[in-house]
Amino acid sequence: MSKTHVTTTINGEPAEFLAEAGLSLLDALRDEVGLTGTKEGCGSGDCGACSVIVDDRLVCACLVLAVEAEGATIQTIEGVATGDTLHPLQRKFIEHAALQCGFCTPGFLVAAKSLLEKNNNPTETEVRFWLAGNLCRCTGYDKIVRAVMDAAAEMRGA
Amino acid sequence: MSGLSYTAPSTISEAVSLLANASGLAKVLSGGTDLLVQMKSGRLKPALIVDTKKIPGMIGIREIDGAFVIGAATSGALMGEHAGLVAAWPGVVEATNLIGSTQVQGRASLAGNLCNASPGADSPPAMIAAGAIAVIAGPAGTREVPVEAIVTAPGRTSLAKGEFITEFRLPKKPARSGDAYLRFIPRTEMDIAVVGCAIAVTLDANGVCIAAKVALGAVAPTQLVVAGAAAALIGNKLTDAVLAKLDAECQAVCKPITDKRGTIEYRTKVAGVLARRVAAIAFQRAGA
Ligand SMILES: Cc1cc2nc3c(=O)[nH]c(=O)nc-3n(C[C@H](O)[C@H](O)[C@H](O)COP(=O)(O)OP(=O)(O)OC[C@H]3O[C@@H](n4cnc5c(N)ncnc54)[C@H](O)[C@@H]3O)c2cc1C
Ligand code: FES
Ligand code: FES
């Protein structure tokens, strides 16, 4: 099968890869680009482990075709920290012990980051609804919600 | 998935000819939140995917003299962010924004929700109640049909080979009008409707209903337009007797199935209860 050459910007850097028509953006990121921080939990849009931001929109990378990403700007978990400096969300997840196995964490962090970019002062209800498409089988969610609220407060300078 | 090709044409006529001349199964791609799931599970094996999102107008919302044109591939997230649309047709927007999670909202479209032709889809009842028109492009030109004329059976639509929906039109909302949508699910998020109900009404200066449209989802193979329920509202205010008539008319048309989300009896009963609640919201939004 012929492959399509896809040109994108990932975490601020130009990135190119080859993709068959049916390849998901998730598989392209992991297997073609080598960015394995984005996880596959279900492959069907239910778990949010594959959350990435494409052209400022939070989406499931498993439900985007890699070829659709031509010309797109993509943010993944690998772009959340600045060099060795963790993003406030990452620090607060550690402080609040908002992860156990960690498999859902990249998806939660990317989803929470996109929330805080749109709304820097979300209520607990807003956080819970925004993150309803991210599943965690370990933490019971409470610590995750508290970590996001705390990170938001710190980022507002409160 | 070998043998699959992908194309993203930049004009409607190109997309029509690609769809019309395809030798194997050709599928239109909007947000992919149904299509890619079905391909992944092996349920669907298209030979050609025609991504219409690069065609100008397929994504975006235009307000023209109070009426709205919504590109067929516009995401639910964009609809929810459009203050004018939210103010004019809150029922349509609330139904669309119920689809899936934040991530799914970033991609899911009205056209995909309708053309996937699932009986439990959330936006079609609201679009039907609001009097939305689908604009269809095809080999024979363009045609406009009411949204209720698209779905013919679960997984089937009235679109012919080579045809696809380019946009939806919502009329200018008449004065003293309101629309609303509610669905019943066993959880608060991320589930498929047991029953969905949408109602749009117009009132006169005294608060008496002068026009109404009622649509139900998930209680029959396709969405239902409930003419008897609309008739129960027209000429009346929302008294207990009128609500009871509305409830009975909705229950009378239900032809649901029993599945893990609910039995026939349960779905039928819930349809009546939801209709009462939705009518109250629609009347209130109309200024009653
Ligand atoms: C996790 C998850 C949760 C979900 N929750 C809900 C929910 O709560 N309620 C609900 O109703 N749905 C739900 N869905 C289903 C789905 O998200 C919606 O049906 C969505 O609106 C589909 O839109 P799309 O743009 O992604 O469609 P696509 O997947 O792109 O297309 C769906 C179908 O429509 C056809 N199509 C697309 N565009 C056109 C067009 N312009 N003209 C003609 N045919 C076209 C495609 O060929 C395909 O057959 C959920 C899905 C997921 C993955
Ligand atoms: S892997 Fe994409 S939502 Fe689960
Ligand atoms: S920490 Fe294990 S799934 Fe969330």
Side-chain angles (χ1 to χ4, degrees):
Chain A
M1 224 20 244
S2 70
K3 293 192 177 186
T4 305
H5 184 233
V6 182
T7 308
T8 62
T9 304
I10 304 179
N11 301 327
E13 304 279 336
E16 302 179 13
F17 54 83
L18 291 174
E20 280 184 11
L23 188 77
S24 70
L25 178 60
L26 174 61
D27 287 342
L29 288 171
R30 293 179 55 83
D31 303 336
E32 306 297 321
V33 188
L35 293 174
T36 54
T38 307
K39 304 299 180 196
E40 173 164 20
C42 65
S44 54
D46 294 292
C47 77
C50 66
S51 296
V52 297
I53 298 170
V54 177
D55 292 336
D56 292 323
R57 203 50 91 179
L58 182 69
V59 298
C60 296
C62 71
L63 295 187
V64 178
L65 291 177
V67 287
E68 286 184 75
E70 173 60 40
T73 299
I74 301 166
Q75 293 170 259
T76 70
I77 182 64
E78 285 86 354
V80 172
T82 310
D84 287 340
T85 311
L86 294 182
H87 187 279
L89 278 164
Q90 292 172 307
R91 267 193 292 105
K92 291 299 177 188
F93 265 59
I94 297 170
E95 264 176 44
H96 287 266
L99 66 155
Q100 289 177 31
C101 79
F103 197 79
C104 68
T105 313
F108 269 104
L109 287 168
V110 170
K113 182 168 177 275
S114 95
L115 168 63
L116 299 189
E117 278 163 9
K118 289 191 200 316
N119 177 358
N120 71 0
N121 193 9
T123 63
E124 179 177 336
T125 304
E126 285 169 335
V127 171
R128 287 185 184 271
F129 269 97
W130 185 273
L131 298 177
N134 291 81
L135 302 186
C136 174
R137 54 169 210 173
C138 303
T139 64
Y141 301 101
D142 220 55
K143 293 175 171 183
I144 292 175
V145 174
R146 271 185 266 156
V148 173
M149 299 290 289
D150 197 10
E154 181 186 298
M155 289 167 70
R156 288 193 307 275
Chain B
M1 258 175 227
S2 65
L4 173 70
S5 327
Y6 166 90
T7 172
S10 52
T11 65
I12 290 174
S13 59
E14 227 182 307
V16 166
S17 81
L18 283 162
L19 290 166
N21 298 324
S23 45
L25 177 64
K27 294 299 284 182
V28 174
L29 173 69
S30 288
T33 61
D34 279 315
L35 187 59
L36 300 194
V37 174
Q38 288 159 11
M39 284 167 54
K40 183 129 190 171
S41 72
R43 193 141 63 88
L44 207 63
K45 292 194 177 64
L48 176 67
I49 290 182
V50 180
D51 182 353
T52 55
K53 294 191 294 297
K54 297 275 182 336
I55 301 171
M58 289 297 292
I59 295 178
I61 301 162
R62 280 179 294 144
E63 187 173 353
I64 302 168
D65 297 332
F68 289 89
V69 178
I70 306 173
T74 304
S75 68
L78 270 175
M79 288 173 60
E81 289 162 10
H82 194 286
L85 183 66
V86 174
W89 294 105
V92 169
V93 177
E94 71 196 353
T96 310
N97 286 168
L98 281 172
I99 298 170
S101 57
T102 314
Q103 289 87 337
V104 171
Q105 280 292 308
R107 299 260 296 168
S109 69
L110 290 176
N113 200 212
L114 181 64
C115 294
N116 189 55
S118 158
D122 282 305
S123 71
M127 293 285 280
I128 291 168
I133 302 288
V135 180
I136 300 165
T142 303
R143 61 192 180 100
E144 297 178 13
V145 303
V147 164
E148 54 267 44
I150 300 285
V151 179
T152 55
R156 293 194 180 278
T157 70
S158 56
L159 300 184
K161 185 167 162 114
E163 286 190 325
F164 71 102
I165 299 177
T166 56
E167 64 191 32
F168 294 94
R169 297 198 183 143
L170 284 169
K172 179 178 161 64
K173 192 180 70 164
R176 291 183 298 274
S177 296
D179 75 322
Y181 175 80
L182 287 177
R183 71 173 179 189
F184 181 78
I185 55 173
R187 325 165 52 197
T188 54
E189 268 277 88
M190 298 290 286
D191 206 342
I192 304 295
V194 173
V195 179
C197 178
I199 298 180
V201 295
T202 302
L203 311 180
D204 70 11
N206 299 317
V208 173
C209 180
I210 52 171
K213 199 164 176 188
V214 179
L216 289 172
V219 292
T222 66
Q223 284 76 36
L224 298 177
V225 178
V226 195
L233 296 174
I234 294 170
N236 293 307
K237 294 188 175 187
L238 267 196
T239 61
D240 286 349
V242 169
L243 284 169
K245 185 88 186 1
L246 171 74
D247 182 331
E249 292 286 349
C250 285
Q251 292 202 41
V253 297
C254 291
K255 297 183 290 280
I257 54 166
T258 291
D259 69 8
K260 64 183 174 191
R261 290 196 175 77
T263 60
I264 290 172
E265 295 76 8
Y266 183 66
R267 285 195 144 102
T268 305
K269 171 112 179 143
V270 169
V273 174
L274 271 193
R276 288 171 177 258
R277 294 181 189 170
V278 175
I281 300 169
F283 270 67
Q284 185 223 325
R285 285 179 179 165

